[in-house]
Amino acid sequence: VQYSDVSSLNISLGSPSILRLPDGNLLCSYDYNGKGYKPVSGGTNDTGVCLSIDQGKTWVQIALVEKLMWASLFCVEDTVYLVGRDTATAKLAIVRSDDAGRTWTDTSQGQIDLTVGSAHRAPTPVVIADGWVYIACEDSCNAAGIAQNVPTKRAYMMSAPVDADLLRASSWTKSNCVSFDPEWLDPSLYYGGSNTGLGFYEGNAVRGKDGTMYIILRVDSDPAYGLACMLKLSEDRTALTFERMLELPVGKDKFAIRYDETSGKYLAIGNVKTTDGFPTQRNVLAMYASEDLVHWSYAATLISDNTLAMLEDLMQNYGYQYPDFLIVGDDLLLVVREASGN
C-alpha cells in the first residue's frame, strides 16, 4: 500500500496504472495530488512509479516522473512508456524508460499532440493491436478553445505504428474530436450532470473482435447512472463517430476495459451503485463481462466496504475507485485509489 494521510499532509495519491513487465515483475504508477504536494520542478503534479518483484506482495518506489499526471503504463518489447498530461504545458506527452521504469525521459521530449488545448485522460488501457498503438484522449476545450469541466470535453483517438518513435508527434495520427450530444440520451429520463456537468470523459480504447477500434467513455449524467458511450474509429484511423449508448452499470465513474483471451470476453471493472439517491457512491467495485462490447452482464463484486458508519458518511468518504487491472493466468491483479474516511 502506498499511503498518504490527507488530513495532516494535504497530499493524496490517485490515478493508478498497472503493467506486467516482460520479466514478470510488476510496475504501478500513480499521481501525487493535493494542496500539500510541492512539485519537484514546476507543473502541478508528478507521477510515482513502484516496482514489485514478488507479484504484488511488496512494492518499492523506484522513480518519480516530473510534470506528468493521469498517465497509463504500457510497454513495447522491453521499452516502457507512460502517456498522460504534461502538467507544465497542458499537452499530451509520452515519457520512455529503457531500464524497466527506473529512469525516464522528460515530458518536454515527448509532446505528441501540440494541437490539444487542454489534454485530459485517465489511466485507461493503451491498446496495441495489428501493429499499432491506440490511446484514448480528450481535449477539455471545445472547438472555440474554451475549457469548462465536463461539458466541453471532446474525445479523440491517437494512434501510431508500434515500431515508430513514439516520442515524436509526427509518428502519431490524431482523429477528429467528438463532443458529447445530449440528444443521444433517453428523453424520458432526467439528466442534470454532477457538479462537473453533463458529458463524457476518461475513455477506454478497445479493439472489437473484428478489428474495429472503439472508444468507450464514462458518462456523467446524475441522477441517472449506468450509461457509457461508444465511439467508432474508421479504418484509416482519422474519423471518430458516434456508435451508440451502452447500458453499463459501471459507466458512471472511471472504469477499465480489457479483453480476456481465456474466456473470450471483455471485462469492465468499475463502481456500481447499490443505494438509491447516491449516484456518486463509489464504495462497491464490481466486474461486468461482455461478448460483444454492447451487452454486459454482472460477473463479480470485487471490493465492498463493511464499515459500520452512517450511510451519508459511507457514500461521501469511502471509495474503491479509479481501478486498473491485469489478468495473469488465473489471477486478477487490481490497483485502486482507495479512500477510507478522511
Side-chain angles (χ1 to χ4, degrees), residues 11-27:
I11 297 174
S12 62
L13 306 179
S15 302
S17 176
I18 187 170
L19 174 70
R20 188 169 188 259
L21 295 169
D23 62 7
N25 291 331
L26 301 174
L27 289 182

Side-chain angles (χ1 to χ4, degrees), residues 190-229:
Y190 170 71
Y191 308 93
S194 70
N195 60 343
T196 58
L198 179 65
F200 62 9
Y201 53 120
E202 298 183 340
N204 285 256
V206 185
R207 181 184 184 274
K209 292 183 178 179
D210 64 354
T212 303
M213 289 299 304
Y214 299 96
I215 298 179
I216 300 180
L217 301 104
R218 65 178 283 196
V219 175
D220 206 348
S221 56
D222 297 1
Y225 52 83
L227 297 174
C229 182

Side-chain angles (χ1 to χ4, degrees), residues 220-237:
D220 206 348
S221 56
D222 297 1
Y225 52 83
L227 297 174
C229 182
M230 174 185 276
L231 307 178
K232 180 180 179 180
L233 187 67
S234 62
E235 290 188 12
D236 67 359
R237 306 174 186 86

Side-chain angles (χ1 to χ4, degrees), residues 1-2 17-30 49-62 73 100-102 333 335:
V1 176
Q2 288 294 104
S17 176
I18 187 170
L19 174 70
R20 188 169 188 259
L21 295 169
D23 62 7
N25 291 331
L26 301 174
L27 289 182
C28 178
S29 63
Y30 42 87
V49 179
C50 271
L51 170 71
S52 174
I53 61 173
D54 53 14
Q55 296 306 297
K57 294 181 179 64
T58 59
W59 296 82
V60 60
Q61 182 162 322
I62 59 172
L73 284 162
R102 290 170 176 80
L333 309 183
V335 289

Side-chain angles (χ1 to χ4, degrees), residues 112 165 167-173:
I112 63 171
D165 183 349
L167 270 60
R168 296 179 61 88
S170 59
S171 299
W172 291 88
T173 298

Side-chain angles (χ1 to χ4, degrees), residues 265-339:
K265 295 182 179 182
Y266 297 94
L267 301 180
I269 295 180
N271 296 117
V272 291
K273 316 303 172 185
T274 61
T275 305
D276 290 338
F278 293 95
T280 57
Q281 175 188 3
R282 288 182 173 179
N283 64 345
V284 180
L285 195 67
M287 179 167 62
Y288 283 74
S290 175
E291 298 273 3
D292 57 7
L293 292 174
V294 175
H295 303 93
W296 294 88
S297 59
Y298 171 82
T301 297
L302 302 176
I303 308 177
S304 179
D305 80 84
N306 59 357
T307 309
L308 298 179
M310 295 295 289
L311 181 63
E312 289 80 3
D313 186 27
L314 290 176
M315 297 300 104
Q316 181 174 341
N317 296 318
Y318 290 79
Y320 307 99
Q321 54 208 316
Y322 275 70
D324 191 18
F325 71 98
L326 296 175
I327 302 163
V328 179
D330 293 332
D331 294 328
L332 180 71
L333 309 183
L334 180 71
V335 289
V336 299
R337 184 186 94 190
E338 177 185 357

